[in-house]
């Protein structure tokens, strides 16, 4: 059976499963819509958290980034996994004990201020929309290649499916759908990895295959082979980095604390019955996430070796079928600069920006381009997002594996999109309408507002998927910086520092955001020509500046809180109560009363 038919069958079955689960578990109250009624089993919540966490960025893009960046790509692995550990240990259990649905709700109540709540709502919505635009692009890429429809049509199909289970089911529908999506995405990620590891190294465990010798009789280690190939083509040595240590540290820390402040994952810990269950489900999720994250560097290396071996210096007419398929989806482009009919793949840009394909074909059958190539020897453009999706085709795996990977990519994108859309809808219905603008609305009206907000958010997300702003990749760095420099200090100090007051929190959030966004806007938009290590403050790139923004936030918040009035006693008691277990808390208060 051909790839397209198999993809229709496998993707169709998974979509039917997701929609079936949504209908079976639709939400009847705001409690079910926001936190699935608070009675999800820790293992199910761990699987749902893992699916929510591992977005299209983890499934589709991360191995692609590592594949092209080599050692420098490791900061995504360390930042995103480290961020999850930080969130699970330092934030989730305490927020769960506090018992609020959303981060803005925690900020508003802990800092007894609607202004603080409003700043948090704006941050939550901005971060979530940034992310959801990337998920929708992932959906469009998968559909355009495997179902051979336009990217626009692909995004519309994805929007329809998410609309079904996010608007109907709320958190209850999303949770059980994400359990199914985790199973689909991890199976789809691991099957080709195991296959290719056996083919290349004879080792069925990709994580071990990554450090093994190739089974082509040469006795060369995989990474040594990759270093040699990279150097021959003029790329940096794969196992050496080009970034400075300070920049690597700051970017990793920004990804880490930015991720720990992400609202769509924090909300997951409210869906279990007890604080203890929140900790257990966090542990399950960490193990389930680690399966994919420890495999990604291996996939990146296998794919890079296979890509260079099959494409570099190959005659276009003799290129494998997968190359022409991906060329038709506008994600690979070749221009014959020296007229020899061979693909010269070396370091350097082939085009300014992305290739602008025309419908015309060249003398070898290649797609021609409207934009002119840049000077230099490289003739090949490869979109990093195709590495995982094209990997089974590059490795020559069976068609059903290729179709399975398409279903896995969609599961990863849709599960995260749903979680983010829920954050947007609860921020609007619960934090903006119920808490600030219309405090007297009933439970039923609030649920209606939540569903309307989710529907509008899906429409906006779809628009960004169809017309991705040229700076989506830049805005993702912006979102991490924003989350790191705004949410993280406020939540941490809200839990661990009783003296932190509303003046400190608001001034800290505003200075953190203002500093970080000004730095990013200057280097990314106003003066991109200066965006290099010579002009950066302390050698820190815009991607890593959120860490400095966070430090600024901490310093300002602490300083302002010391010179302004302490929070009311009931707030200080509340903070004390979040941190101290019930038994200890009771004896502590008993001791005070005497």
């Amino acid at each position: 059976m051909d790839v397209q038919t198999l993809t229709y069958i496998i993707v169709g079955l998974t979509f039917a499963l997701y929609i079936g689960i949504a209908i079976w578990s639709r939400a009847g109250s705001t409690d079910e819509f926001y936190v699935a009624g608070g009675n999800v089993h820790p293992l199910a919540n761990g699987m749902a958290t893992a699916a929510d966490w591992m977005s299209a960025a983890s499934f589709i893009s991360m191995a692609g980034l590592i594949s092209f960046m080599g050692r420098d790509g490791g900061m995504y692995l360390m930042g995103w996994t480290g961020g999850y550990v930080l969130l699970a240990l330092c934030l989730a259990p305490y927020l769960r004990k506090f018992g609020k649905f959303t981060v803005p709700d925690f900020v508003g109540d802990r800092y007894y201020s609607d202004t603080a709540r409003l700043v948090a709502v704006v941050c939550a919505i901005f971060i979530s929309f940034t992310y959801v635009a990337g998920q929708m692009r992932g959906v469009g890429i998968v559909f355009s290649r495997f179902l051979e429809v336009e990217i626009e049509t692909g995004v519309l199909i994805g929007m329809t499916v998410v609309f079904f289970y996010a608007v109907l089911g709320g958190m209850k529908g999303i949770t059980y759908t994400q359990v199914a999506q985790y199973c689909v995405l991890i199976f789809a990620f691991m099957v080709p990895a195991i296959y290719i590891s056996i083919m290349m190294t004879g080792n069925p465990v990709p994580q071990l295959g990554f450090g093994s010798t190739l089974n082509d009789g040469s006795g060369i280690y995989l990474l040594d082979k990759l270093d040699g190939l990279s150097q021959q083509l003029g790329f940096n040595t794969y196992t050496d980095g080009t970034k400075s240590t300070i920049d690597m540290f700051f970017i990793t820390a920004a990804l880490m604390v930015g991720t720990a402040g992400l609202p769509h994952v924090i909300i997951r810990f409210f869906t279990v019955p007890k604080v203890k269950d929140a900790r257990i489900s966090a542990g399950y999720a960490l193990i389930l996430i680690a399966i994919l994250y420890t495999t990604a560097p291996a996939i990146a290396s296998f794919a890079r070796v296979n890509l260079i071996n099959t494409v570099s210096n190959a005659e276009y007419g003799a290129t494998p079928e997968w190359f022409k398929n991906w060329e038709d989806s506008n994600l690979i482009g070749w221009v014959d600069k020296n007229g020899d009919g061979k693909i010269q793949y070396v370091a350097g840009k082939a085009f300014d920006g992305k290739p602008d394909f025309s419908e015309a074909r060249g003398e070898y059958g290649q797609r021609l381009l409207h934009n002119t190539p840049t000077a230099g020897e490289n003739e090949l453009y490869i979109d990093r997002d195709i590495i995982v999706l094209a990997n089974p085709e590059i490795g020559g795996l069976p068609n059903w594996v290729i179709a399975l990977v398409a279903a896995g990519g969609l599961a990863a994108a849709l599960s995260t999109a749903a979680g983010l859309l829920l954050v947007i809808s609860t921020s609007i219905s619960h934090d903006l309408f119920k808490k600030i603008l219309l405090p007297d609305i009933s439970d039923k009206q609030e649920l209606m507002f939540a569903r309307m907000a989710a529907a509008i958010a899906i429409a906006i997300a779809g628009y960004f998927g169809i017309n991705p702003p040229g700076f989506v990749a830049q805005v993702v760095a912006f979102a991490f910086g924003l989350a790191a420099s705004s949410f993280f200090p406020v939540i941490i100090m809200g839990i661990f520092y009783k003296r932190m007051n509303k003046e400190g929190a608001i001034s800290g959030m505003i200075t953190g955001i203002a500093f970080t966004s000004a730095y990013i806007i200057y280097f990314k938009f106003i003066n991109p020509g200066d965006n290099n290590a010579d002009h950066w403050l302390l050698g820190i790139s815009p991607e890593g500046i959120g860490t400095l923004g966070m430090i600024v936030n901490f310093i300002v918040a602490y300083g302002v809180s010391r010179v302004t009035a302490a929070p009311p006693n009931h707030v200080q008691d509340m903070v004390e109560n979040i941190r101290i277990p019930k038994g200890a808390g009771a004896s502590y208060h008993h001791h005070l009363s005497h």
Side-chain angles (χ1 to χ4, degrees), residues 373-532:
T374 56
E377 291 175 6
N378 185 30
E379 300 179 345
L380 184 68
Y381 166 83
I382 304 172
D383 189 301
R384 293 173 179 193
D385 287 344
I386 77 166
I387 280 294
V388 169
L389 297 173
N391 195 28
E393 292 172 273
I394 297 172
L397 299 188
N399 286 351
W400 68 268
V401 179
I402 298 168
L404 183 66
V405 169
L410 289 170
L414 295 175
S415 60
T416 306
L420 292 163
L421 290 163
L422 194 77
V423 165
I424 295 168
S425 74
T426 50
S427 295
I428 292 167
S429 63
H430 186 71
D431 299 311
L432 198 60
F433 284 111
K434 178 76 176 168
K435 294 285 185 174
I436 300 176
L437 301 177
L438 304 165
D440 300 327
I441 56 173
S442 68
D443 194 55
K444 205 167 181 181
Q445 286 171 310
E446 191 184 337
L447 186 58
M448 184 191 71
F449 277 125
R451 288 198 158 117
M452 282 165 54
I456 293 164
I458 288 168
I460 296 169
Y463 173 80
F464 282 129
I466 292 168
N467 306 296
F471 48 84
V472 161
Q474 295 169 336
V475 178
V476 167
F478 203 23
F480 274 109
L482 201 75
S485 60
S486 60
F487 277 155
F488 188 73
V490 166
I491 298 171
I492 281 286
M493 290 198 284
I495 294 167
F496 295 104
Y497 181 47
K498 279 198 306 189
R499 182 71 175 67
M500 180 47 60
N501 58 15
K502 65 178 180 185
E503 291 84 2
I506 293 167
S507 52
M509 275 198 286
I510 290 170
T511 22
I513 290 170
F515 170 78
T516 306
S517 45
Y519 192 89
I520 293 173
I521 288 166
Y522 175 78
F523 284 114
K524 292 283 187 185
F525 307 110
I526 296 173
N527 214 340
D530 280 355
N531 190 13
N532 57 61

Side-chain angles (χ1 to χ4, degrees), residues 585-594:
S587 59
Y588 174 78
H589 288 299
H590 177 76
H591 171 74
L592 277 187
S593 61
H594 288 73

Side-chain angles (χ1 to χ4, degrees), residues 59-106:
F59 188 95
I60 297 174
S61 301
M62 186 171 63
L65 284 165
I66 298 169
S67 192
F68 286 89
M69 294 171 74
R71 194 203 74 167
D72 287 344
M75 62 196 178
Y76 292 96
L77 273 177
M78 295 184 294
W80 285 336
T81 37
Y84 179 79
V85 175
L86 197 59
L87 170 66
L89 295 179
C90 295
L91 306 183
Y94 301 106
L95 290 174
R96 173 69 186 79
K97 193 171 181 199
F98 188 75
K100 293 296 171 186
F101 289 144
T102 63
V103 175
D105 214 3
F106 169 80

